[in-house]
C-alpha cells in the first residue's frame, strides 16, 4: 500500500525540515524515501496549502491505571454529563475529565496525537494498567513505573546497597512491569507518610529509614544513566502544590549536578510564598534555572478553569489537599509497601486568587523557558485540565492578544502578582512541532516517532493553517496512524491498535536474590507473579510491544 | 496427559483475598488438592477435566446448537441481564461488550456489597490500605463485626499473624481486637500464643458501637441511652489503643453488614467507617481494609470503569450509552420483578454461584463451570473450562490495585467462556 501526500508544507524539526514544501510517501505504514517507492501509488492526497507534522506525543497524561479508575468511580456526575453512544463500530462511553479508555484513544487521535504516556504506574498495578492500555485504541502508549518509595528500595538505601544491586533492581522493575521510563513521586515522602510524617523536604530524613529525598533522586537518576535508559528520571518533586515549593524545586535542579532530570508538571512546584496572601509566582526563577541547566527538561502541567479530579501517587500531598476538595469527597490509599494514591476533586476558578495565579504561572513557564526541546506541553491530564484543551493551550501560547483576553478576567490581585502580560513571546509552528513531536520522541528514545524521515512510523497529521490556532489544532484535516487514515476533520473514521512502548535495560537476574526473598517474606506475592507477561492475559487483546532505544549498560555489571 | 506435574506459587481466584502461594499437583486430568489447606480454595480447584455436554431445556445438544439457541434468545430480548460475571478479565470484557451491544443491564452476583462501597466512595470516600500494608505495617487491627475467615479464610495466617514483617516491632506488638457478638475461640490465638481481644457487642448494637467509636474519637460524650447498652469502658480503651497506634487498620465486611442489618443500614455503617478513617487521618495513620471482592468483582468493576466510566450496575441504552445507578440496576431484583427479559449468567469460579430465580417466561442462558449447582434447569446451559486451572487469565484482588495471573495448570479440550462469548457475539 503506497500513499502519496503531495505539496505538503512540512514541519519536521527532527529532520531540520521546517516550512518546506515536498511530497511525503507512505509505504505499508512507514514513511518511505522517494527512491524506495517503486510500486503504483494507491492513493494521493494533494495537500496544497496544508501544514503537515508528525503525530503529536503526550509525554505525561494519566490515561490508565487503578487511580484513574478510582477517580472515575468517585465522580459519576462528570461521566453522566459526557456520555456518547456507540457509532459506526466505535465503542460508547463517557468523556472528560477522566475519559474512558476508548474515549482517550479517539479524542487523542482526533487532535492529531498518536502517542500518550501514563506517567504513574504502580508496580503492583502494572498488569491491570497494560490491560487498560490494551483497550485504548489508535494511539501508541506506555507507562512510567513509579518507584522510589518502596520499603524494599528504602531498605536498600538505608543499608547502603551497592550501586549495581540498585541498578539491577531498577532494570528488573522496568522489565517486570513493561515500563518505558521511571518516575519518582515525592521521593521518599510517600513512604515517610506511612510513618505519619506530613512533609519531607529535599534534605529531610525519612524517620524510619534515615533516607532523604535527595538521596532517592540522585540514586535513581544515576541508575538510569548507568542502565542506558534514554528517558531521564521523571521527577514529581517534594512539595506538590505547596506555597514556597519553588525553593525545593530550584534546589533539586541545582543539586542534580549535571545529572539529567525531567521535572514534571513543574507548574505545581513553582510557587513562591510572597505577597499578602503568601502565594506567588516562582516561574521566572524556575525558567532561569531551566535555561541555564541543559541537563534539565520539564513539562508544565498547565491548569485550566473548570471542574476536574486530581489523581496522584503523592498521597502525602493529596491528603493535605483533601481539605480543598470540591465536591467534598476524597480517597487515599496506601498501596502494597510500594506507594499510594490520592484522589481529590477540584474546581479551578479564575476568580480565585490561587487558581488564577496557577494558570498564569503555567503560561509564564512555557513562555520563559527558551528552548522548546526542553519544555513539553502537558496539563497533567486530568489534574490541571483534560488533555482535550491542548488546542486552546496552543493558542494561548501562540497568540498574545488571546492570552490577554483571558488574563483580564483573572482575580485582580493575581493579575498584579503576574508578569504574564509583559511577555510578548508567541510560539511558532516550528516550536509547537518541537515541543509536541520531535522533543518528546527524542527524550523518550522513540526513534520511529515524532518525525517524518524515512523509516518513521507513518503517524502524520495534516492541518489547515488558521489564524485561530485553536481551530487549526482541534480539527486536523487528516490524521494517519501507521499509514491508516484514522481521523478526518476532527472525527475518528477508523480504529487501529497501537503499540505498548517499553524500554528494556539489562539486568542480572541472578543478582536479585534479595528481592526474591523480600517478595517471598513480605509482599504476599511471588516474584514471578509480580512480572507482567502477556501470555498470562488469556484471550484479552493482542499486545504489540515497541522497544525504545537503550544504550549499553555501563556500570560494569555483566548481564545476560 | 498422564504425567504428574507439580505447580507452585499458584494464584487462587476463590475469594477476593488473592493468595498466590498454592501448590497443586496434576495427575492426568485430575487435581491433587491435598496440599491446599484453605477450604474454599480446595473446593474450587477440585474438579476433573472430563468433558461435559451443553443442554437446551435439559436435553444434551452440541455446542453449536446451544450457541444457536442462546443467540436467538438474546436477539429477541429487549433488555437482557448479563450478570454473574464471576470470570477472568478476558471473559468479563466480552460480556461487557455484549451488554453494550444488546442494550443489556450489567451486574455481578456479589453486586450488593460492591454497590454499597461504591455509594460510600461517591458520597464521601475513605482512607484505605492494601493487603501487604496490613500484613507488615499494622500494630492494631480492629475487626468490626467480622471474624474475617468467612470472607478470607487465610486472613489470620497471612495478614494478622504472618511469620514476619519488615517492621518486626509492629508485628510483635500487634493487637487484634474483635468488636462483635460471638468469637470462635479457635481463631483466637497467634502462633506466639497471643489472643484476639474480644469486645462483646450484641449484633443488634453494632451500629450503636460504631457511632460511639466515632464520638469517642472526637472526644465527645456518648449519649447515656446508647452508653447503657454498650461496653463503653472497653470501647474507650479501644479508642485509646487506636490513638496510640502507629498504624491502625479497621477491617469490616460489607456483605456481612448487609446480611445482618439490611442494605440501607449497611451503607450507613460503611459510610461511618469511611468517615472515621478520613477523620483519623488528620493526625493518625488509620486505614480501612474492607473484605470482599469474591468472584473477581473488583476486576469486573475495573473493566466497567475504564470502558464505560462507571462502576458496575450499568444499564446500556440501545445506542450503547452507559447509564449507571447502583441501586436501580440491581440485577437480582430486576430479574425477580420481570424488568429484564432474558438472563445471561456467566460464572467460572464458585460452583455455588447459581443463577438467581427468574420469572417463568424469562429465558436463561448459563455459561459456567461444569460442576455449577443449578437450582433450576436454564433454557441453555453451556459448560466451559476454568480460568486458573484449564487456561490463563487475570483477576484483581479485593484491594483494587493488585492483579494476579491465573495459570493454565492442565490442558482441557472444553471451550473457554471467551470462545463461547465470541461465537455468541458473532451470531447477534
Ligand atoms: S484465602 Fe481466598 S484466595 Fe487465599 S487460598 Fe483461600 S480462597 Fe484462595
Ligand atoms: Zn501527573
Amino acid at each position: 500500500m503506497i500513499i502519496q501526500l503531495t505539496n505538503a508544507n512540512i514541519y519536521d524539526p527532527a529532520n531540520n525540515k521546517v516550512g518546506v514544501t515536498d511530497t511525503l510517501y507512505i509505504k505499508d505504514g512507514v514513511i518511505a524515501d522517494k527512491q524506495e517507492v517503486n510500486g503504483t501509488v494507491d492513493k494521493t492526497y494533494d495537500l496544497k496549502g496544508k501544514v503537515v507534522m508528525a503525530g503529536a506525543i503526550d509525554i505525561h497524561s494519566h490515561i490508565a491505571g487503578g487511580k484513574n479508575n478510582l477517580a472515575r468511580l468517585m465522580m459519576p456526575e462528570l461521566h453522566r454529563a459526557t456520555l456518547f453512544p456507540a457509532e459506526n463500530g466505535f465503542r460508547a462511553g463517557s468523556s472528560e475529565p477522566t475519559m474512558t479508555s476508548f474515549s482517550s484513544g479517539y479524542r487523542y487521535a482526533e487532535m492529531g496525537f498518536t502517542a500518550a504516556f501514563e506517567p504513574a504506574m504502580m508496580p503492583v498495578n502494572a498488569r491491570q494498567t497494560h490491560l487498560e492500555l490494551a483497550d485504548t485504541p489508535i494511539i501508541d502508549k506506555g507507562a512510567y513505573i513509579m518507584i522510589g518509595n518502596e520499603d524494599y528500595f528504602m531498605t536498600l538505601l538505608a543499608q547502603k546497597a551497592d550501586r549495581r544491586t540498585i541498578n539491577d533492581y531498577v532494570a528488573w522493575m522496568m522489565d517486570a512491569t513493561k515500563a518505558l521510563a521511571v518516575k519518582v513521586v515525592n521521593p521518599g515522602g510517600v513512604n515517610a507518610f506511612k510513618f505519619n510524617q506530613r512533609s519531607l523536604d529535599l534534605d529531610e530524613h525519612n524517620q524510619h529509614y534515615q533516607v532523604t529525598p535527595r538521596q532517592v533522586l540522585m540514586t535513581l537518576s544515576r541508575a538510569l544513566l548507568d542502565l542506558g535508559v534514554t528517558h531521564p528520571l521523571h521527577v514529581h518533586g517534594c512539595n506538590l502544590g505547596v506555597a514556597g515549593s519553588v525553593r525545593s524545586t530550584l534546589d533539586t535542579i541545582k543539586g542534580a549536578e549535571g545529572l539529567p532530570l525531567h521535572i514534571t508538571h513543574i507548574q505545581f512546584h513553582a510557587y513562591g510564598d510572597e505577597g499578602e496572601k503568601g502565594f506567588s509566582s516562582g516561574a521566572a526563577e524556575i525558567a532561569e534555572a531551566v535555561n541555564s541547566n541543559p541537563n534539565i527538561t520539564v513539562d508544565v502541567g498547565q491548569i485550566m478553569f473548570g471542574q476536574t479530579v486530581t489523581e496522584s501517587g503523592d498521597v502525602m500531598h493529596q491528603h493535605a489537599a483533601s481539605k480543598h476538595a470540591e465536591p467534598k469527597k476524597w480517597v487515599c490509599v496506601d498501596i502494597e509497601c510500594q506507594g499510594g494514591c490520592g484522589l481529590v476533586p477540584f474546581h479551578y476558578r479564575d476568580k480565585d486568587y490561587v487558581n488564577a495565579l496557577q494558570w498564569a504561572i503555567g503560561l509564564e513557564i512555557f513562555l520563559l523557558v527558551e528552548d522548546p526541546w526542553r519544555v513539553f506541553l502537558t496539563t497533567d491530564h486530568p489534574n490541571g485540565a483534560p488533555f482535550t484543551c491542548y488546542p486552546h493551550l496552543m493558542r494561548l501560547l501562540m497568540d498574545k492578544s488571546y492570552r490577554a483576553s483571558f488574563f483580564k478576567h483573572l482575580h485582580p490581585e493575581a493579575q498584579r502578582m503576574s508578569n504574564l502580560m509583559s511577555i510578548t513571546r508567541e510560539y511558532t509552528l516550528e516550536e509547537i512541532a518541537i515541543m509536541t513531536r520531535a522533543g518528546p520522541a527524542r527524550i523518550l528514545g522513540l526513534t520511529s516517532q515524532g518525525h517524518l524521515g524515512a523509516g518513521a512510523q507513518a503517524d502524520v497529521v495534516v492541518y489547515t493553517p488558521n489564524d485561530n490556532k485553536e481551530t487549526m489544532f482541534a480539527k486536523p484535516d487528516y490524521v494517519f496512524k501507521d499509514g491508516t487514515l484514522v481521523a478526518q476533520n476532527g472525527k475518528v473514521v477508523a480504529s487501529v491498535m497501537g503499540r505498548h512502548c517499553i524500554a528494556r535495560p539489562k539486568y542480572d537476574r541472578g543478582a536479585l536474590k534479595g528481592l526474591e526473598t523480600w517478595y517471598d517474606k513480605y509482599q504476599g506475592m511471588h516474584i514471578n507473579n509480580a512480572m507482567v507477561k502477556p501470555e498470562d492475559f488469556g484471550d484479552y487483546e493482542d499486545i504489540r510491544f515497541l522497544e525504545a532505544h537503550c544504550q549499553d549498560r555501563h556500570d560494569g555489571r555483566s548481564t545476560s | 496427559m498422564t504425567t504428574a506435574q507439580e505447580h507452585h506459587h499458584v494464584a487462587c481466584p476463590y475469594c477476593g483475598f488473592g493468595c498466590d502461594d498454592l501448590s497443586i499437583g496434576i495427575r492426568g486430568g485430575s487435581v491433587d488438592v491435598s496440599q491446599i489447606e484453605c477450604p474454599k480454595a480446595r473446593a474450587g480447584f477440585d474438579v476433573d477435566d472430563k468433558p461435559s455436554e451443553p443442554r437446551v431445556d435439559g436435553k444434551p445438544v452440541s455446542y453449536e446448537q446451544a450457541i444457536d439457541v442462546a443467540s436467538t434468545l438474546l436477539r429477541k430480548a429487549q433488555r437482557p441481564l448479563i450478570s454473574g460475571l464471576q470470570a477472568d478479565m478476558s471473559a468479563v470484557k466480552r460480556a461487557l461488550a455484549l451488554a453494550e451491544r444488546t442494550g443489556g443491564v450489567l451486574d455481578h452476583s456479589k453486586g450488593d456489597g460492591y454497590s454499597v462501597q461504591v455509594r460510600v466512595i461517591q458520597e464521601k470516600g475513605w482512607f484505605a490500605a492494601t493487603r501487604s500494608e496490613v500484613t507488615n505495617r499494622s500494630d492494631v487491627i480492629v475487626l468490626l463485626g467480622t471474624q474475617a475467615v468467612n470472607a478470607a479464610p487465610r486472613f489470620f495466617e497471612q495478614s494478622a499473624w504472618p511469620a514476619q514483617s519488615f517492621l518486626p516491632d509492629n508485628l510483635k506488638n500487634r493487637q487484634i481486637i474483635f468488636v462483635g457478638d460471638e468469637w470462635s475461640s479457635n481463631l483466637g490465638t497467634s502462633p506466639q500464643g497471643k489472643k484476639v481481644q474480644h469486645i462483646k457487642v450484641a449484633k443488634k448494637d453494632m451500629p450503636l458501637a460504631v457511632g460511639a467509636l466515632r464520638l469517642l474519637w472526637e472526644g465527645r460524650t456518648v449519649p447515656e441511652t446508647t452508653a447503657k447498652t454498650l461496653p463503653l469502658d472497653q470501647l474507650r480503651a479501644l479508642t485509646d489503643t487506636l490513638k496510640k497506634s502507629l498504624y491502625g487498620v479497621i477491617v469490616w465486611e460489607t456483605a456481612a453488614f448487609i446480611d445482618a442489618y439490611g442494605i440501607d443500614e449497611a451503607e450507613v455503617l460503611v459510610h461511618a467507617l469511611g468517615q472515621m478513617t478520613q477523620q483519623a487521618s488528620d493526625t493518625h495513620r488509620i486505614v480501612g481494609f474492607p473484605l470482599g471482592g469474591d468472584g473477581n468483582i473488583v476486576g469486573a468493576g475495573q473493566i466497567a470503569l475504564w470502558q464505560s466510566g462507571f462502576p458496575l450496575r450499568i444499564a446500556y441504552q440501545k445506542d450503547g450509552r452507559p447509564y449507571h445507578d447502583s441501586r436501580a440496576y440491581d440485577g437480582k431484583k430486576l430479574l425477580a420483578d420481570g424488568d429484564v427479559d432474558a438472563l445471561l449468567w456467566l460464572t467460572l469460579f464458585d460452583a455455588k454461584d447459581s443463577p438467581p430465580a427468574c420469572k417463568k417466561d424469562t429465558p436463561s442462558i448459563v455459561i459456567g463451570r461444569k460442576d455449577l449447582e443449578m437450582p433450576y434447569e436454564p433454557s441453555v446451559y453451556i459448560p466451559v473450562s476454568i480460568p486458573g486451572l484449564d487456561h490463563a487469565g487475570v483477576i484483581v484482588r479485593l484491594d483494587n490495585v493488585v492483579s494476579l495471573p491465573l495459570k493454565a495448570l492442565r490442558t482441557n479440550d472444553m471451550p473457554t467462556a471467551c470462545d463461547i462469548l465470541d461465537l455468541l457475539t458473532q451470531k447477534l
Side-chain angles (χ1 to χ4, degrees):
Chain A
M1 175 80 171
I2 296 171
I3 303 169
Q4 154 178 288
L5 310 175
T6 58
N7 300 313
N9 188 13
I10 296 171
Y11 281 78
D12 183 17
N15 294 304
N16 290 317
K17 230 170 152 182
V18 175
V20 177
T21 302
D22 202 351
T23 300
L24 269 184
Y25 296 95
I26 299 173
K27 189 179 171 201
D28 302 329
V30 176
I31 305 285
D33 268 336
K34 189 173 175 21
Q35 319 57 295
E36 288 172 51
V37 183
N38 33 33
T40 45
V41 171
D42 297 273
K43 176 118 187 134
T44 300
Y45 294 83
D46 183 357
L47 302 184
K48 196 161 176 5
K50 309 284 183 193
V51 165
V52 177
M53 295 186 187
I57 299 169
D58 192 344
I59 193 170
H60 187 114
S61 171
H62 297 275
I63 52 171
K67 66 185 171 350
N68 231 23
N69 263 348
L70 258 172
R72 293 169 180 133
L73 191 156
M74 192 169 70
M75 301 296 284
E77 56 272 44
L78 296 178
H79 288 269
R80 285 192 181 110
T82 56
L83 294 178
F84 59 88
E87 269 176 330
N88 311 321
F90 297 103
R91 296 287 300 271
S94 50
S95 201
E96 297 154 13
T98 39
M99 307 263 176
T100 56
S101 63
F102 300 114
S103 185
S104 292
Y106 301 154
R107 302 293 94 82
Y108 265 124
E110 287 172 347
M111 300 191 311
F113 277 71
T114 51
F117 296 96
E118 160 57 47
M121 173 167 71
M122 289 287 310
V124 285
N125 196 234
R127 190 176 288 108
Q128 181 185 323
T129 304
H130 282 284
L131 289 178
E132 183 173 353
L133 290 175
D135 279 345
T136 307
I138 306 181
I139 57 172
D140 292 332
K141 52 250 167 164
Y144 312 156
I145 187 65
M146 192 161 59
I147 55 176
N149 280 295
E150 316 86 276
D151 286 287
Y152 180 68
F153 179 71
M154 301 305 277
T155 303
L156 286 181
L157 290 195
Q159 295 171 347
K160 310 219 165 359
D162 155 76
R163 174 165 174 172
R164 282 181 287 204
T165 305
I166 290 176
N167 294 352
D168 281 319
Y169 169 66
V170 173
W172 175 82
M173 259 300 175
M174 292 187 73
D175 184 40
T177 62
K178 299 286 175 280
L180 174 63
V182 172
K183 184 200 199 190
V184 64
V185 165
N186 187 357
V190 173
N191 183 285
F193 184 49
K194 294 180 186 176
F195 295 98
N196 209 17
Q197 280 177 273
R198 300 290 166 139
S199 65
L200 196 71
D201 226 328
L202 195 57
D203 291 308
E204 257 180 288
H205 285 89
N206 173 309
Q207 277 161 18
H208 184 75
Y209 294 104
Q210 297 302 319
V211 167
T212 66
R214 189 189 296 276
Q215 263 175 288
V216 174
L217 283 172
M218 291 300 100
T219 306
L220 287 176
S221 173
R222 202 184 50 201
L224 293 170
L225 205 61
D226 281 350
L227 292 169
V229 175
T230 303
H231 191 53
L233 182 63
H234 200 90
V235 181
H236 157 145
C238 293
N239 286 307
L240 175 86
V242 176
S245 55
V246 63
R247 285 188 292 275
S248 56
T249 309
L250 292 170
D251 282 351
T252 304
I253 294 174
K254 219 183 308 145
E257 290 165 10
L259 279 174
L261 290 181
H262 175 85
I263 303 181
T264 190
H265 45 67
I266 198 162
Q267 178 275 130
F268 287 112
H269 307 264
Y271 307 144
D273 49 11
E274 285 157 24
E276 263 169 49
K277 297 183 193 280
F279 186 87
S280 57
S281 170
E285 291 158 276
I286 291 286
E288 197 189 301
V290 174
N291 289 338
S292 54
N293 287 281
N295 54 315
I296 302 296
T297 53
V298 301
D299 67 83
V300 171
Q302 178 67 34
I303 71 143
M304 294 291 174
F305 304 117
Q307 175 73 52
T308 192
V309 44
T310 66
E311 45 180 80
S312 173
D314 191 348
V315 56
M316 177 193 264
H317 288 107
Q318 288 293 88
H319 179 263
S322 66
K323 297 278 167 274
H324 309 288
E326 182 181 345
K328 286 243 155 292
K329 48 181 169 180
W330 55 272
V331 173
C332 283
V333 192
D334 288 337
I335 299 176
E336 280 309 88
C337 309
Q338 293 183 334
C341 75
L343 296 307
V344 183
F346 251 85
H347 196 124
Y348 296 108
R349 292 188 162 81
D350 59 357
K351 297 292 182 268
D352 176 283
Y353 170 75
V354 169
N355 298 164
L357 205 53
Q358 287 179 300
W359 179 88
I361 291 168
L363 294 176
E364 287 168 16
I365 295 172
F366 270 118
L367 295 163
L368 294 172
V369 172
E370 286 155 9
D371 181 0
W373 288 91
R374 293 197 290 122
V375 58
F376 305 105
L377 188 92
T378 66
T379 55
D380 193 17
H381 162 85
N383 294 334
F387 65 74
T388 44
C389 72
Y390 285 169
H392 170 64
L393 176 55
M394 290 180 197
R395 186 171 177 202
L396 289 170
L397 298 178
M398 299 180 84
D399 182 341
K400 64 175 192 295
S401 58
Y402 189 60
R403 273 199 304 268
S405 71
F406 284 85
F407 189 81
K408 67 173 190 238
H409 296 296
L410 299 185
H411 188 288
E413 190 61 25
Q415 292 190 40
R416 267 194 296 282
M417 292 290 283
S418 167
N419 65 358
L420 186 62
M421 285 303 97
S422 67
I423 308 172
T424 55
R425 180 175 174 195
E426 294 183 325
Y427 268 71
T428 62
L429 278 180
E430 179 183 4
E431 288 173 326
I432 292 288
I434 293 169
M435 93 181 323
T436 59
R437 277 82 173 166
R442 187 170 84 174
I443 201 163
L444 291 170
L446 299 171
T447 50
S448 60
Q449 283 130 299
H451 71 100
L452 295 170
Q457 289 174 201
D459 301 344
V460 184
V461 190
V462 178
Y463 301 102
T464 301
N466 192 320
D467 283 342
N468 181 337
K469 296 296 188 285
E470 182 169 350
T471 308
M472 171 173 170
F473 283 105
K475 292 186 187 317
D477 300 60
Y478 304 110
V479 179
F480 297 90
K481 178 75 187 76
D482 294 306
T484 301
L485 182 66
V486 290
Q488 203 168 345
N489 301 322
K491 207 73 201 122
V492 279
V493 294
S495 190
V496 296
M497 260 326 195
R499 304 166 187 80
H500 294 226
C501 303
I502 58 174
R504 297 188 63 190
K506 294 199 168 52
Y507 59 94
D508 179 359
R509 182 67 178 77
L512 293 168
K513 281 277 172 293
L515 180 67
E516 205 169 319
T517 312
W518 178 278
Y519 266 89
D520 259 359
K521 283 167 111 171
Y522 308 127
Q523 288 294 151
M525 181 181 283
H526 190 262
I527 190 167
N528 287 342
N529 290 332
M531 300 187 73
V532 175
K533 296 173 202 132
E535 61 266 29
D536 296 337
F537 289 4
D539 251 329
Y540 201 83
E541 193 70 56
D542 286 336
I543 290 181
R544 280 188 303 159
F545 288 109
L546 174 72
E547 272 191 46
H549 179 68
C550 263
Q551 286 175 339
D552 288 339
R553 186 166 164 167
H554 47 265
D555 59 357
R557 172 79 89 205
S558 62
T559 51
S560 44
Chain B
M1 241 198 300
T2 48
T3 48
Q5 272 180 299
E6 286 296 321
H7 296 275
H8 302 289
H9 315 299
V10 173
C12 172
Y14 294 105
C15 86
F17 199 50
C19 306
D20 80 335
D21 62 343
L22 303 187
S23 288
I24 294 178
I26 301 286
R27 323 228 181 293
S30 69
V31 189
D32 171 8
V33 294
S34 63
Q35 293 176 72
I36 305 178
E37 307 250 333
C38 174
K40 268 198 200 178
R42 204 178 316 125
F45 279 107
D46 194 7
V47 51
D48 69 50
D49 69 340
K50 305 268 174 330
S52 180
E53 280 182 315
R55 300 193 294 268
V56 168
D57 296 324
K59 291 187 204 66
V61 295
S62 68
Y63 276 98
E64 290 71 30
Q65 286 167 314
I67 289 164
D68 258 349
V69 177
S71 65
T72 309
L73 292 175
L74 272 181
R75 240 195 331 261
K76 279 198 205 135
Q78 285 306 306
R79 175 176 258 208
L81 169 67
I82 297 180
S83 187
L85 231 56
Q86 296 214 7
D88 65 305
M89 298 299 254
S90 303
V92 169
K93 174 180 160 123
R94 285 163 171 80
L96 187 148
L98 203 62
E100 184 181 316
R101 239 183 97 177
T102 54
V105 174
L106 193 72
D107 193 9
H108 187 284
S109 45
K110 302 283 179 184
D112 283 344
Y114 174 90
S115 70
V116 164
Q117 295 185 182
V118 161
R119 285 197 292 278
V120 168
I121 292 176
Q122 290 174 344
E123 193 61 38
K124 277 281 180 234
W126 61 38
F127 202 136
T130 65
R131 173 174 156 170
S132 76
E133 300 285 7
V134 178
T135 311
N136 289 285
R137 280 206 147 70
S138 61
D139 58 349
V140 175
I141 297 178
V142 182
L143 299 167
L144 268 178
T146 176
Q147 308 204 11
V149 289
N150 283 336
R154 297 177 68 198
F155 176 79
F156 286 95
E157 167 217 330
Q158 288 286 305
S159 278
W161 288 315
Q164 59 245 316
S165 154
F166 59 82
L167 300 171
D169 289 343
N170 294 27
L171 177 57
K172 197 167 92 229
N173 300 330
R174 189 170 293 170
Q175 302 184 55
I176 300 179
I177 301 148
F178 170 68
V179 182
D181 210 341
E182 286 308 318
W183 176 255
S184 323
S185 54
N186 61 334
L187 296 168
T189 317
S190 82
Q192 289 74 35
K194 207 145 77 176
K195 292 226 179 313
V196 168
Q197 302 163 43
H198 183 185
I199 299 179
K200 194 167 165 68
V201 171
K203 192 165 148 185
K204 67 168 182 26
D205 293 335
M206 269 305 287
L208 285 181
V210 168
L213 281 173
R214 290 206 61 201
L215 290 172
L216 290 168
W217 182 271
E218 291 172 25
R220 288 159 60 190
T221 347
V222 178
E224 213 164 310
T225 42
T226 314
K228 266 198 303 219
T229 50
L230 294 172
L232 205 60
D233 287 344
Q234 282 176 288
L235 292 178
R236 196 170 285 125
L238 172 60
T239 307
D240 289 343
T241 303
L242 276 172
K243 290 212 167 180
K244 281 192 216 115
S245 71
L246 299 171
Y247 199 88
V249 179
I250 296 177
V251 179
W252 75 87
E253 195 189 333
T254 305
F257 284 158
I258 295 175
D259 288 345
Y261 312 110
I263 209 143
D264 293 331
E265 186 69 18
E267 190 172 330
V268 172
L269 273 170
V270 176
H271 186 87
L273 294 175
Q275 291 274 85
M276 199 164 140
T277 60
Q278 288 188 331
Q279 190 177 21
S281 72
D282 280 344
T283 46
H284 288 70
R285 293 314 324 266
I286 289 176
V287 295
F289 188 68
L291 296 170
D294 288 4
N296 194 31
I297 186 168
V298 177
Q302 298 282 9
I303 299 188
L305 280 159
W306 79 57
Q307 291 207 355
S308 75
F310 299 102
L312 289 173
R313 295 204 166 160
I314 300 169
Y316 287 90
Q317 304 305 293
K318 281 288 170 218
D319 64 4
R321 278 177 305 155
Y323 285 15
H324 159 67
D325 188 320
S326 62
R327 282 183 185 278
Y329 305 130
D330 168 351
K332 252 189 278 62
K333 188 159 183 310
L334 294 175
L335 199 62
D337 294 349
D339 288 337
V340 285
D341 58 356
L343 169 68
L344 173 63
W345 188 255
L346 168 69
T347 191
L348 309 179
F349 296 129
D350 181 2
K352 292 191 166 58
D353 185 38
S354 316
C358 297
K359 292 219 149 174
K360 237 218 234 76
D361 48 357
T362 307
S364 51
I365 303 156
V366 175
I367 300 173
R369 292 168 67 112
K370 66 171 189 168
D371 56 348
L372 183 65
E373 287 179 15
M374 217 82 79
Y376 57 89
E377 182 62 32
S379 320
V380 183
Y381 167 57
I382 306 179
V384 292
S385 57
I386 298 169
L389 186 53
D390 301 320
H391 64 85
V394 174
I395 52 164
V396 180
R397 222 166 68 179
L398 80 171
D399 42 12
N400 271 303
V401 256
V402 185
S403 59
L404 292 170
L406 301 177
K407 300 272 160 74
L409 307 182
R410 65 181 180 196
T411 50
N412 188 330
D413 291 337
M414 276 168 93
T416 65
C418 290
D419 296 336
I420 301 298
L421 289 165
D422 281 343
L423 290 168
L424 202 52
T425 307
Q426 277 166 28
K427 293 233 152 141
L428 283 178

